[in-house]
Amino acid sequence: MRILLIGAGGREHCLAWKLQQSPLCSQLFIAPGNAGTALCGTNLGIAVSDFAKMEAACMEHTIDMIVVGPEEPLVKGIYDHFSGNPKTAHIHIIGPSAAAAQLEGSKAFAKAFMLRHGVPTAAYREFTAENFEEGLTYIKAHPLPIVLKADGLAAGKGVLICQTHIEATAEFELMIRRSKFGDAGNKVVVEAFLEGIEMSVFALTDGKEYVLLPEAKDYKRIGEGDTGLNTGGMGAVSPLPFFNDALKQKVIEKVVQPTIDGLHKENMKYTGFVFFGLMIKDDEPMVIEYNCRMGDPETEVVIPRLQNDLAALLLAAAENKLAEQEIITDSRTAVTIVAVSEGYPGDYEKGLQVRGLDTAADDETIVFHSGTIHSNDLILTNGGRVLAVTSFGNNIMAAGEASKNLLDEIYFDGIYYRRDIGYEFV
Ligand code: AMP
Ligand code: GLY
């Protein structure tokens, strides 16, 4: 099978690393990829939503399967583009249709879907310019804190947790009347704040059957102790000590099964990963969000713990044979720590040389590239998140130590990483 993987981050390096281990994968291409994915296959200089160039590349390289990493091409309709064209309809696409990708592409759509299918989630209302005044009244009477969500994709910045009514009404006005998040904020979901522990659960589905992958928790804040600005993710751990069989069963019954059944009942074409962002309180799960793809950096702990052949699993999903698959998981703990550029998540420099990568990696530790690029035999930084170093250990402490030891050997100007990933479990 000749596979084209779409994306350029640590998630994609990890997926590429896993796919190239499969005897089913005869050749792997990555578009556009990074310096890490180049170690696993052939990078193609094609942007993630340039469907025309992708189509040409599929013809040239006789691609059999496209695996979509990020949400943007999914929400823009990569599935529909390829499956609707007789020349490319034979290619398996791992990723949902545009209609189903609305689970991530529209927060209002996702909330309404959850209500229709009885999936537990925070109480909410949605507002636009039309019922703006009603929104103000709703917000003023809402208990604090108040969560405001821009409906559309807003590069992870569209969620605001407001501690006062003044802040909430001001932000609400900025979103709807002053396009703070562009068109993404034309519609705003106002929802109740949920307390508890956040975690992520992942399923691979064919739209009817599914398999559950290992769970994970990511650390979004830039600073140790979960302080400072939100980022794309500074690290992740898997498994989670509190995610016992009883809780897992509850998540399956109340969240995963009704979601997959809902997709099926509504005839939404969905072959791919479903990411359930959950809040757990008193052993009860509530859904904070759906994503229509794997998480980053969660992938960098979930996929290394997966002992199945990933290409075989994806093929089973594409051929509606997931019911025959059994997931086998490495019992060890995996921790990934993300090294970022100075200034991230604000402005940062690119093009700084990354040194020490050759000392890296053994059986217990893997270096995944996030934002890196090759230039004249050097590896340079090319993004805010630069590397994700994943280690195995018998517990979170041991795995985290191994990643930190390796990161201590790696250097680029202004390198920063959190030394406390998984802190609340050690
Ligand atoms: P999202 O962009 O949907 O991933 O949301 C970003 C983050 O905001 C989530 O990971 C949560 O930490 C937080 N969040 C979103 N909705 C809620 C909520 N209803 N209650 C508490 N925290 C929330
Ligand atoms: N780490 C969270 C995400 O991928 O959305």
Side-chain angles (χ1 to χ4, degrees), residues 94-96 200-216 243 248 251-252 255-261 263 270-278 290-295 298 302-303 306 310 313-314 317 322 327:
I94 304 301
S200 309
V201 164
F202 304 91
L204 173 67
T205 186
D206 54 20
K208 186 162 182 251
E209 308 288 341
Y210 67 89
V211 289
L212 211 57
L213 303 177
E215 77 282 3
F243 196 65
K248 181 173 169 179
V251 168
I252 290 172
V255 174
V256 180
Q257 192 69 53
T259 299
I260 305 294
D261 290 347
L263 289 170
Y270 203 125
T271 303
F273 297 102
V274 190
F275 169 147
F276 303 87
L278 305 179
Y290 290 121
N291 294 313
C292 58
R293 51 165 175 92
M294 288 297 291
E298 291 93 329
V302 169
I303 293 297
L306 180 72
L310 180 60
L313 274 184
L314 298 181
L322 272 183
I327 294 297

Side-chain angles (χ1 to χ4, degrees), residues 107 147 149 159 161 191-194 198 220 288-289:
K107 308 246 184 232
V147 183
K149 298 186 170 181
V159 175
I161 297 173
E191 76 174 29
F193 181 79
L194 299 173
E198 251 187 282
K220 287 209 170 73
I288 294 181
E289 62 168 348

Side-chain angles (χ1 to χ4, degrees), residues 200-330:
S200 309
V201 164
F202 304 91
L204 173 67
T205 186
D206 54 20
K208 186 162 182 251
E209 308 288 341
Y210 67 89
V211 289
L212 211 57
L213 303 177
E215 77 282 3
K217 179 177 193 334
D218 86 333
Y219 291 79
K220 287 209 170 73
R221 301 298 193 96
I222 187 76
E224 292 183 358
D226 293 328
T227 54
L229 294 174
N230 255 322
T231 71
M234 297 295 294
V237 305
S238 176
L240 299 176
F242 67 86
F243 196 65
N244 54 33
D245 282 346
L247 181 54
K248 181 173 169 179
Q249 216 41 50
K250 216 179 265 184
V251 168
I252 290 172
E253 276 165 30
K254 296 192 170 178
V255 174
V256 180
Q257 192 69 53
T259 299
I260 305 294
D261 290 347
L263 289 170
H264 186 60
K265 275 187 214 144
E266 297 193 20
N267 273 323
M268 284 202 253
K269 183 67 198 150
Y270 203 125
T271 303
F273 297 102
V274 190
F275 169 147
F276 303 87
L278 305 179
M279 190 70 89
I280 310 290
K281 184 160 186 250
D282 300 330
D283 283 330
E284 287 296 329
M286 300 270 257
V287 175
I288 294 181
E289 62 168 348
Y290 290 121
N291 294 313
C292 58
R293 51 165 175 92
M294 288 297 291
D296 192 349
E298 291 93 329
T299 299
E300 291 96 302
V301 289
V302 169
I303 293 297
R305 290 192 61 228
L306 180 72
Q307 292 183 321
N308 301 64
D309 176 333
L310 180 60
L313 274 184
L314 298 181
L315 186 61
E319 294 180 334
N320 300 314
K321 290 180 183 158
L322 272 183
E324 298 162 20
Q325 299 292 322
E326 194 186 333
I327 294 297
I328 310 158
T329 306
D330 192 323

Side-chain angles (χ1 to χ4, degrees), residues 217 219 236-242 333-335 337 393-402 404 418-426:
K217 179 177 193 334
Y219 291 79
V237 305
S238 176
L240 299 176
F242 67 86
T333 292
V335 172
I337 301 180
N394 287 332
N395 53 47
I396 289 174
M397 170 94 91
E401 282 302 316
K404 280 181 275 186
R418 278 179 62 168
R419 301 189 67 88
D420 70 338
I421 298 304
Y423 68 96
E424 68 272 60
F425 302 119
V426 301

Side-chain angles (χ1 to χ4, degrees), residues 77-268:
I78 189 169
Y79 170 85
D80 310 73
H81 182 96
F82 280 84
S83 64
N85 178 343
K87 280 199 295 194
T88 52
H90 64 282
I91 300 174
H92 296 308
I93 311 284
I94 304 301
S97 60
Q102 290 296 296
L103 284 183
E104 174 162 6
S106 164
K107 308 246 184 232
F109 177 92
K111 295 294 284 190
F113 179 92
M114 289 185 240
L115 280 197
R116 283 200 296 282
H117 300 290
V119 176
T121 189
Y124 82 106
R125 288 276 308 274
E126 56 179 84
F127 299 99
T128 61
E130 262 92 81
N131 57 354
F132 178 79
E133 297 298 331
E134 204 185 317
L136 286 181
T137 312
Y138 182 77
I139 289 172
K140 283 176 188 155
H142 198 288
L144 294 169
I146 304 169
V147 183
L148 302 184
K149 298 186 170 181
D151 180 54
L153 291 184
K157 299 200 167 78
V159 175
L160 302 171
I161 297 173
C162 302
Q163 302 296 339
T164 66
H165 289 102
I166 293 176
E167 183 191 355
T169 48
E171 291 291 351
F172 182 67
E173 177 171 13
L174 283 174
M175 283 159 98
I176 290 190
R177 291 247 161 107
R178 293 173 209 265
S179 300
K180 175 168 177 171
F181 297 112
D183 288 349
N186 286 349
K187 192 183 275 179
V188 174
V189 165
V190 179
E191 76 174 29
F193 181 79
L194 299 173
E195 282 173 46
I197 305 183
E198 251 187 282
M199 65 169 293
S200 309
V201 164
F202 304 91
L204 173 67
T205 186
D206 54 20
K208 186 162 182 251
E209 308 288 341
Y210 67 89
V211 289
L212 211 57
L213 303 177
E215 77 282 3
K217 179 177 193 334
D218 86 333
Y219 291 79
K220 287 209 170 73
R221 301 298 193 96
I222 187 76
E224 292 183 358
D226 293 328
T227 54
L229 294 174
N230 255 322
T231 71
M234 297 295 294
V237 305
S238 176
L240 299 176
F242 67 86
F243 196 65
N244 54 33
D245 282 346
L247 181 54
K248 181 173 169 179
Q249 216 41 50
K250 216 179 265 184
V251 168
I252 290 172
E253 276 165 30
K254 296 192 170 178
V255 174
V256 180
Q257 192 69 53
T259 299
I260 305 294
D261 290 347
L263 289 170
H264 186 60
K265 275 187 214 144
E266 297 193 20
N267 273 323
M268 284 202 253

